[in-house]
Amino acid sequence: MKALLVGEYREGKLLESTYELVGFAQKLGCEFELFLVGTEAALPQVNAKLYLADVATVGEYNPALHKQLILDAVDKANADTVVFLHSSSGWDLAPRVALALGAAQLSEVVEIKGDGYLLPACNAKLRRTVKAATGKSVITLQAGAFMPAEQSGAPQVEKLTTSTPAQSEFLGYEQAEAGQVDLGKAEIIVSAGRGVGKPENVAMIQALAEALGGEYGASRPVVDAGWAPHDRQVGTTGQVVSPKLYVACGISGAIQHLAGMKKSEFILAINTDKDAPIGEVADVLVVADIKQFAPALTAKLAG
Amino acid sequence: MNILVCIKQVPDMESRFKVAASGTWFEESDLAWRINEYDEFAVEQAVKLKEQLGDADLTVLSIGPARVKEALKKALAMGCERAVNIVDPAAAEKDSFQIASSIAAFAKDKSFDVIFTGMQSQDRGSGQVGVLVAELLGIPVLTTAVEFEYTDGSITVRRELEGGLRAAVKASTPALVTCQLGLNTPRYPTLPNIMKAKKKELLEIPIGELLKDEARLTTLALAYPEKKGSALVLEGEIGELVDKVIGILKEKTSVL
């Protein structure tokens, strides 16, 4: 087995997730080479062959071009497996590459299992073991599921170019509007999930956060529903946090949320469902209705 | 303009899932079914685009057994003109490539200008089908849209990236857009629209007429995650739970 690892680069920087791909290949014990659309100024520190396409020429988001360059690299590396991170870049590119290679795609791999892989299903309530039925395969890895490799060494760079026509035009990046609060710095965060039931109940979570001397946060559905502002969102598309205490209120534990908070020192979860995936990362799981538990805890802390 | 929106019917994710006797999928009886959440945003965006243009034609498609008609009827009540059920009682056994290939086979001679899908399903979450359909049809695809605009044959979307960053990208029609949560606010069908939906066309096509490809992925097993969580589970009366939690926070953390 030989893998081509597709590194990630954004706005002048190599993304740390690139080392998770290397960590995965090392865990699998397979030969690997890397591919990156980036610059010579931000190369991954890995002792391996690196196929490098110049971001200034091919653009940071130009899937038709990136696909062709990756296919060229697969050919040169004689790779049978292409590995992406399951990210906004990875899930956009991986199916294109899989189709062109006639390969199976295994999305959001969380573990290696025998000669197959484990994938989450139904909001991480279940796990599927799958295997490619094709000679070649394309894999995307769940963010944070594999330990990043140590950063050491220097790649042997081979440059790639393409003249494939573009199908879409990249107009630029936009930062979501900056908020008032930086959850990354908070030592205590109390977050509201869908289980709080209705917008008015977010105030109850806010009150508990104040009683504990911390900030309140929210899961994606709560923010999407407009019950809390975006700067309060914890998760891969919001903020990644690591407070001393994280209190997850009525949060079932979708993968994207877990990825944003699982490095917290101590995690207290309150959920009516004893089997909720949040129990996988929590230190303490209180099986209770948050609408009863939060006010009771707030009152006790105040009293 | 000719618009297609593809939806999947999935179980309510709050359900308690049981592994089926086959060992490779979950038991489908006793589950409540609904439109995949991401696809509701896709349907809403398709209806909004139709309303913007005035004279657009909007088809909604779903692959699956007879029960998916309920999801199709909801989409019709939200504003789609006609529904297509690609009838496949064994849809759960198909891989993403086979599902995409069936949709592409249906769409290839129908000149859709814009195709919408959710960015992923809630049950399988592979995130492949939309991209594969576009690639099979040879049209551009813009994924993970949280904003959508259409002007004179050109689509601009904001893609959601990690950490609060967005990317603005543009493509010409025909094109496919995969929809992320938060793209819009899906409407509730009104009673008059539910009544009107009953009279709308619902076409059935057997999967065998469209699908010619073998699966590329084999599912070996479906199981509950191994419990590696060492969470202390507390149950009981609220007052006692509160006291226990305060005790634990005092003992194990430095915050109280």
Side-chain angles (χ1 to χ4, degrees):
Chain A
M1 176 171 169
K2 185 162 182 195
L4 181 77
L5 314 178
V6 181
E8 295 205 15
Y9 173 97
R10 188 172 296 151
E11 292 189 294
K13 286 185 192 137
L14 178 80
L15 299 192
E16 294 284 316
S17 55
T18 304
Y19 296 99
E20 292 180 30
L21 302 170
V22 180
F24 167 78
Q26 287 173 346
K27 188 171 181 185
L28 204 56
C30 70
E31 275 188 86
F32 66 89
E33 295 182 355
L34 290 98
F35 170 87
L36 184 71
V37 171
T39 62
E40 295 224 49
L43 294 178
Q45 297 169 47
V46 182
N47 281 320
K49 177 88 174 264
L50 170 74
Y51 300 95
L52 180 71
D54 179 19
V55 68
T57 321
V58 299
E60 287 197 19
Y61 180 80
N62 211 328
L65 273 65
H66 290 207
K67 175 181 87 174
Q68 190 51 52
L69 288 160
I70 292 166
L71 293 174
D72 292 348
V74 168
D75 212 29
K76 282 176 182 279
N78 200 18
D80 49 35
T81 307
V82 188
V83 191
F84 295 84
L85 207 73
H86 196 69
S87 62
S88 58
S89 163
W91 65 58
D92 190 279
L93 279 169
R96 307 176 198 250
V97 171
L99 187 71
L101 292 173
Q105 182 181 330
L106 294 69
S107 295
E108 207 176 7
V109 166
V110 292
E111 249 174 82
I112 300 161
K113 172 118 179 176
D115 59 349
Y117 297 95
L118 276 186
L119 319 179
C122 299
N123 267 352
K125 285 189 166 185
L126 294 163
R127 290 262 191 275
R128 261 197 321 153
T129 311
V130 297
K131 198 179 155 179
T134 47
K136 288 193 168 113
S137 56
V138 171
I139 293 173
T140 67
L141 306 182
Q142 184 180 96
F146 293 90
M147 282 289 286
E150 200 185 317
Q151 303 183 17
S152 74
Q156 307 140 251
V157 175
E158 180 176 334
K159 292 190 177 171
L160 296 182
T161 55
T162 181
S163 53
T164 302
Q167 275 190 319
S168 57
E169 187 187 345
F170 175 63
L171 305 174
Y173 290 116
E174 294 165 8
Q175 195 66 45
E177 51 188 287
Q180 305 294 312
V181 64
D182 182 1
L183 291 181
K185 291 192 179 130
E187 294 205 333
I188 299 167
I189 299 172
V190 184
S191 282
R194 218 193 292 240
V196 301
K198 51 182 178 179
E200 299 84 82
N201 291 344
V202 174
M204 156 192 310
I205 304 306
Q206 211 169 339
L208 177 57
E210 277 166 25
L212 282 165
E215 292 286 349
Y216 82 99
S219 68
R220 177 172 197 141
V222 169
V223 172
D224 279 343
W227 303 355
H230 186 267
D231 61 338
R232 298 280 173 180
Q233 188 179 316
V234 174
T236 46
T237 54
Q239 296 199 55
V240 176
V241 299
S242 50
K244 286 185 178 165
L245 172 64
Y246 190 84
V247 186
C249 302
I251 291 175
S252 67
I255 294 144
Q256 293 76 7
H257 189 81
L258 297 186
M261 49 62 79
K262 67 182 177 189
K263 287 187 181 144
S264 305
E265 277 179 40
F266 193 89
I267 299 169
L268 168 67
I270 300 104
N271 206 297
T272 48
D273 180 5
K274 201 171 160 176
D275 298 319
I278 191 81
E280 285 296 300
V281 300
D283 295 282
V284 175
L285 172 64
V286 176
V287 184
D289 183 345
I290 190 63
K291 296 186 280 296
Q292 293 171 4
F293 184 83
L297 181 59
T298 308
K300 191 89 181 186
L301 288 168
Chain B
M1 179 184 272
N2 204 3
I3 310 167
L4 175 69
V5 56
C6 305
I7 65 172
K8 182 175 186 178
Q9 192 190 41
V10 296
D12 187 316
M13 288 300 134
E14 299 302 314
S15 310
R16 292 196 181 273
F17 291 95
K18 286 185 213 135
V19 176
S22 68
T24 54
W25 198 232
F26 48 78
E27 179 58 54
E28 295 199 343
S29 55
D30 299 331
L31 291 174
W33 296 82
R34 48 166 292 175
I35 298 181
N36 177 45
E37 198 173 4
Y38 297 83
D39 302 346
E40 281 194 3
F41 291 90
V43 172
E44 176 64 29
Q45 205 56 54
V47 174
K48 277 190 143 129
L49 178 58
K50 187 189 86 163
E51 289 170 346
Q52 178 194 334
L53 298 165
D55 64 347
D57 189 85
L58 171 54
T59 302
V60 56
L61 173 151
S62 188
I63 300 180
R67 64 169 152 72
V68 308
K69 289 196 184 80
E70 290 311 310
L72 288 168
K73 279 177 192 162
K74 182 175 177 191
L76 290 173
M78 286 172 78
C80 299
E81 254 97 33
R82 83 184 55 73
V84 177
N85 176 200
I86 299 178
V87 183
D88 184 6
E93 289 163 23
K94 306 292 188 293
D95 69 1
S96 304
F97 169 67
Q98 289 176 301
I99 295 292
S101 153
S102 309
I103 297 171
F106 167 80
K108 71 172 195 279
D109 55 0
K110 300 196 175 52
S111 311
F112 290 110
D113 299 287
V114 185
I115 302 176
F116 292 97
T117 69
M119 72 154 285
Q120 62 181 359
S121 63
Q122 290 172 282
D123 55 355
R124 227 177 262 180
S126 81
Q128 297 173 29
V129 172
V131 181
L132 290 173
V133 168
E135 290 281 289
L136 286 162
L137 294 173
I139 62 175
V141 47
L142 305 172
T143 63
T144 334
V146 286
E147 269 182 52
F148 174 92
E149 267 175 56
Y150 172 83
T151 335
D152 301 331
S154 164
I155 290 171
T156 305
V157 308
R158 301 286 187 285
R159 297 189 66 225
E160 184 180 61
L161 311 181
E162 291 73 18
L165 196 67
R166 290 175 172 197
V169 291
K170 192 174 173 180
S172 300
T173 56
L176 188 146
V177 175
T178 81
C179 303
Q180 172 62 297
L181 306 177
L183 170 64
N184 49 45
T185 309
R187 69 193 66 192
Y188 289 105
T190 60
L191 190 58
N193 285 342
I194 293 171
M195 300 313 288
K196 271 188 223 158
K198 291 186 177 173
K199 296 191 183 114
K200 290 183 180 175
E201 182 188 1
L202 201 160
L203 184 70
E204 292 181 72
I205 304 172
I207 184 82
E209 286 184 17
L210 298 169
L211 179 63
K212 308 292 171 206
D213 300 288
E214 295 294 314
R216 292 181 175 184
L217 197 67
T218 313
T219 300
L220 304 173
L222 184 79
Y224 295 103
E226 282 174 38
K227 286 274 173 206
K228 31 178 191 208
S230 49
L232 171 68
V233 178
L234 300 178
E235 290 177 273
E237 188 267 322
I238 292 288
E240 283 171 24
L241 289 173
V242 165
D243 290 340
K244 276 189 196 164
V245 163
I246 289 179
I248 290 167
L249 293 183
K250 280 187 178 157
E251 191 190 331
K252 307 264 181 165
T253 74
S254 57
V255 302
L256 284 187

